[in-house]
Amino acid sequence: MLVAAEHGILYLVSFVLLALGVGILVLMILMIVQGGASGAEKIIGILEELLLVLIVLEIFVTVQTHLSGGRLQLEPFIIVGIIAIIRHILSVVVRLTIPAIPANPAESRQQLMELVVYAGSAFILVAALALARWSQRRPAPSAGGRGDSGASG
């Protein structure tokens, strides 16, 4: 009974994730059509929204994998983290480059520190992703398939 409840909740989460992804895309299209922002701001906004859709879809795929009997894996969560950090980096860059937002030197310094922290976090997550993928590699079969240590006698 608990397994059925778990599957029911996971299916509900899946449908909500799909609806959320579609909703984000619809709102993004409305933002494009309505205008009001400069071309550069629109492009950054579109990119941020698309990255958000990727995060939602990555979580959706993880839930679907779990529903089909697969194990939860570390990689999708690392990828979601990397995408989220990229979104934050984009928002900081936009705040730093838009001249309409006056910033004092202390705010600019704080935003630059945010960029450094986000860049360091992204580097750590990319290294973790590489390590996770490296740890899942299978050793190559030995030459000739004989199973000996390669010493000839």
Side-chain angles (χ1 to χ4, degrees):
M1 187 165 104
L2 290 176
V3 172
E6 176 191 13
H7 281 275
I9 291 170
L10 287 174
Y11 278 115
L12 179 64
V13 167
S14 295
F15 288 123
V16 169
L17 286 169
L18 275 179
L20 182 62
V22 169
I24 293 168
L25 287 175
V26 168
L27 290 175
M28 180 188 71
I29 291 170
L30 288 175
M31 177 188 73
I32 294 169
V33 171
Q34 289 177 351
S38 70
E41 290 175 11
K42 276 187 182 180
I43 291 172
I44 297 295
I46 291 168
L47 187 58
E48 283 185 344
E49 298 303 317
L50 289 175
L51 289 172
L52 183 57
V53 170
L54 282 176
I55 290 171
V56 171
L57 287 178
E58 196 66 43
I59 296 170
F60 172 78
V61 168
T62 301
V63 171
Q64 291 300 306
T65 301
H66 186 63
L67 276 171
S68 66
R71 292 184 10 222
L72 286 179
Q73 296 182 357
L74 180 63
E75 282 187 33
F77 296 103
I78 295 173
I79 291 170
V80 165
I82 292 169
I83 295 170
I85 288 173
I86 291 171
R87 284 190 76 234
H88 285 293
I89 288 172
L90 283 172
S91 69
V92 172
V93 168
V94 167
R95 283 186 276 144
L96 282 171
T97 57
I98 294 177
I101 303 173
N104 61 39
E107 287 178 12
S108 295
R109 192 172 21 263
Q110 189 258 344
Q111 289 173 345
L112 288 172
M113 286 303 297
E114 280 183 49
L115 276 178
V116 169
V117 170
Y118 289 144
S121 300
F123 178 77
I124 290 169
L125 285 176
V126 168
L129 181 62
L131 183 62
R133 288 185 176 173
W134 176 78
S135 69
Q136 291 178 354
R137 289 192 333 200
R138 303 283 185 252
S142 62
R146 295 181 293 175
D148 60 17
S149 63
S152 57

